[in-house]
Amino acid sequence: MTKFTVAAAMAAALMSSTAAMAAELEVTHWWTSGGESAAVAEFARLFDATGNKWVDSALAGSGTGANPVIISRILGGNPMGATQMNTGRDAEGLIQAGLIRDLTPIAEEEGWKEFYADPGLFDACTYEGKIYCVPVNIHSWHWLWLSTKAFETAGIPVPKDWNEYATAIPQLREAGVIPFGLAAGWPLNGIPGVLLADVGGPELYEKVWGEHDAEAVRSPEFRKVAEAWATIRDAVDPAEVVPQFGDVANQLIAGEAAANIHGDWIQGDLQVAGAVPGEDYECLPGLGLTQRIEGGGDAFYFPQLPEGTSQDVLDAQVELAKLLVSKEAQVAFNLKKGSMPIRTDIDLSTANPCMQKAIAILQSPEGLLPSGETLNSSDTQQQLDDLNQEFFADKSFSVDDYIEEYASIIESAN
């Protein structure tokens, strides 16, 4: 085994001399929850069926925990064969350093841009006109998940939008239901952006994150966003925060918690637990306030491997890149993960009602808003995350101070 943990499989030598050799390919990713694991297993199953071998290397901690490990390995000359990252700007430095494989020839040969539902997903993969990653799904933070059982306990109809839900919070608490289930750490970071686009509206979202207009932050519309964020903060008892978002899924099913704002990937965990949409839980894209949602995605990058790497391994990278966007892989993966596929020319008739809502938005010409990961630099996003964590942890942190500090960050955004 060389320093980089990618190797041609010796078993391939037993195959016909004219057949392509199989190769082992280490694949890193951060899909570790029940639903996510079930989804990535579909990619691995289909890759193994090609005769190659998917060597799974799951990293805990989602993007915030796994990204530094992935990046340090590539920078340190110990690259994996392929790795998941978000379709944001995290890999930009690696691309600039020449450490990521150029996939442009594969994209042109396979006609990727002809069947992608949102060609804009390639924007974050493109550097100086070349494509460096493969978007494999479209996911969105913009969902309000509601527990049917929790609202039955409180004697309240399941809300139809954020406003009805916010009004119900005192009654939920009085009935002994946790109003808002929350997992510790990174899940909190996604919520303010959802409120910006859905409570504030798509126009405000594009002004603040797209144009970095600080005066828009100081507007009455943004104050509603900040107040909604304070509503969630004040509804959460820190003692009720659970370790993982999968734990929140279990709280919703059990009726212990009434609601959660979280990405569509929580649906994978709800499915694994056997919960049925429309019976055990309800899902409201855009918090029930808008039919436009932010659409980001997961993507796979293929690091440049060291000189002397077997051609079979390099060929396996190409085979995996093609497979990830194949019709079969897109159906198998997204039905398990709960995310939207990157192509609309596949049969998703077996998708559940929540995913059908997502597909309808995807097919709308203006359904998807650009991902915040593509609009804000990593530095700007980190400053916003820090502010949001500080605001959430301190109930005496005023809305006025939050707005002004937020505006200051946006003023200096690049």
Side-chain angles (χ1 to χ4, degrees):
M1 182 82 60
T2 58
K3 183 179 179 182
F4 53 96
T5 52
V6 183
M10 296 301 295
L14 301 176
M15 299 172 64
S16 164
S17 60
T18 58
M21 290 183 66
E24 293 184 353
L25 203 66
E26 185 197 6
V27 184
T28 52
H29 61 87
W30 58 72
W31 289 322
T32 56
S33 78
E36 291 172 330
S37 296
V40 74
E42 293 296 325
F43 280 154
R45 175 180 64 80
L46 292 169
F47 185 62
D48 288 354
T50 69
N52 294 294
K53 177 64 177 175
W54 174 295
V55 180
D56 197 82
S57 184
L59 300 165
S62 188
T64 52
N67 252 349
V69 176
I70 292 168
I71 292 171
S72 66
R73 277 191 53 182
I74 297 173
L75 289 174
N78 183 26
M80 59 297 294
T83 186
Q84 172 219 359
M85 297 177 82
N86 287 133
T87 53
R89 298 171 63 177
D90 292 339
E92 203 167 77
L94 298 175
I95 294 170
Q96 291 169 339
L99 297 174
I100 300 296
R101 183 169 178 171
D102 176 12
L103 303 178
T104 308
I106 305 170
E108 292 178 347
E109 177 188 341
E110 296 290 302
W112 283 354
K113 288 191 175 179
E114 296 172 11
F115 60 71
Y116 263 73
D118 180 12
L121 287 174
F122 282 109
D123 291 348
C125 291
T126 302
Y127 181 74
E128 294 186 344
K130 296 180 179 178
I131 294 173
Y132 289 91
C133 69
V134 190
V136 297
N137 65 344
I138 302 171
H139 65 210
S140 179
W141 271 98
H142 294 240
W143 291 85
L144 178 60
W145 303 94
L146 301 163
S147 166
T148 303
K149 188 173 182 179
F151 285 94
E152 286 177 355
T153 299
I156 307 169
V158 177
K160 294 183 175 57
D161 60 32
W162 160 263
N163 295 324
E164 288 187 9
Y165 162 70
T167 301
I169 287 175
Q171 290 173 267
L172 291 163
R173 179 62 77 185
E174 188 176 341
V177 173
I178 298 171
F180 191 88
L182 182 65
W186 64 267
L188 182 147
N189 293 338
I191 298 171
V194 176
L195 298 174
L196 174 61
D198 300 339
V199 174
E203 184 178 346
L204 181 69
Y205 174 87
E206 299 202 54
K207 280 186 178 178
V208 174
W209 280 10
E211 301 170 19
H212 293 140
D213 180 348
E215 290 311 304
V217 179
R218 299 184 175 100
S219 68
E221 290 78 13
F222 189 88
R223 175 168 290 277
K224 293 178 183 176
V225 175
E227 289 173 346
W229 186 210
T231 295
I232 294 175
R233 175 188 66 178
D234 296 343
V236 172
D237 181 340
E240 296 169 343
V241 175
V242 293
Q244 305 291 336
F245 73 82
D247 300 323
V248 177
N250 292 330
Q251 287 182 317
L252 296 175
I253 296 169
E256 297 170 1
N260 182 224
I261 293 175
H262 197 90
D264 47 23
W265 50 93
I266 198 173
Q267 188 177 194
D269 284 59
L270 292 166
Q271 287 184 158
V272 167
V276 178
E279 296 180 15
D280 300 305
Y281 65 94
E282 296 290 348
C283 51
L284 299 178
L287 309 188
L289 301 174
T290 173
Q291 288 299 302
R292 295 189 69 192
I293 61 175
E294 173 195 8
D298 297 295
F300 275 84
Y301 293 77
F302 295 83
Q304 290 281 9
L305 300 178
E307 188 175 348
T309 297
S310 165
Q311 185 61 44
D312 306 310
V313 177
L314 301 176
D315 290 345
Q317 285 187 315
V318 174
E319 187 142 26
L320 179 57
K322 292 179 179 178
L323 181 145
L324 292 170
V325 297
S326 67
K327 292 182 179 180
E328 183 178 11
Q330 281 295 301
V331 172
F333 174 79
N334 285 296
L335 286 182
K336 289 287 178 63
K337 194 168 188 297
S339 51
M340 294 174 276
I342 50 85
R343 53 194 307 163
T344 56
D345 58 345
I346 54 180
D347 181 8
L348 288 169
S349 57
T350 58
N352 72 33
C354 295
M355 194 169 180
Q356 294 290 355
K357 291 180 183 179
I359 292 169
I361 292 174
L362 179 64
Q363 292 175 334
S364 168
E366 295 186 339
L368 290 180
L369 290 165
S371 166
E373 294 162 345
T374 65
L375 299 176
N376 292 319
S377 68
S378 296
D379 179 58
T380 298
Q381 191 57 55
Q382 186 60 56
Q383 291 182 61
L384 293 175
D385 289 346
D386 290 345
L387 171 62
N388 285 315
Q389 291 280 355
E390 185 181 358
F391 179 76
F392 194 81
D394 182 0
K395 294 183 188 296
S396 68
F397 198 145
S398 73
V399 166
D400 286 338
D401 288 344
Y402 173 77
I403 290 172
E404 196 48 47
E405 290 196 28
Y406 200 113
S408 177
I409 293 171
I410 292 300
E411 277 177 337
S412 61
N414 51 43

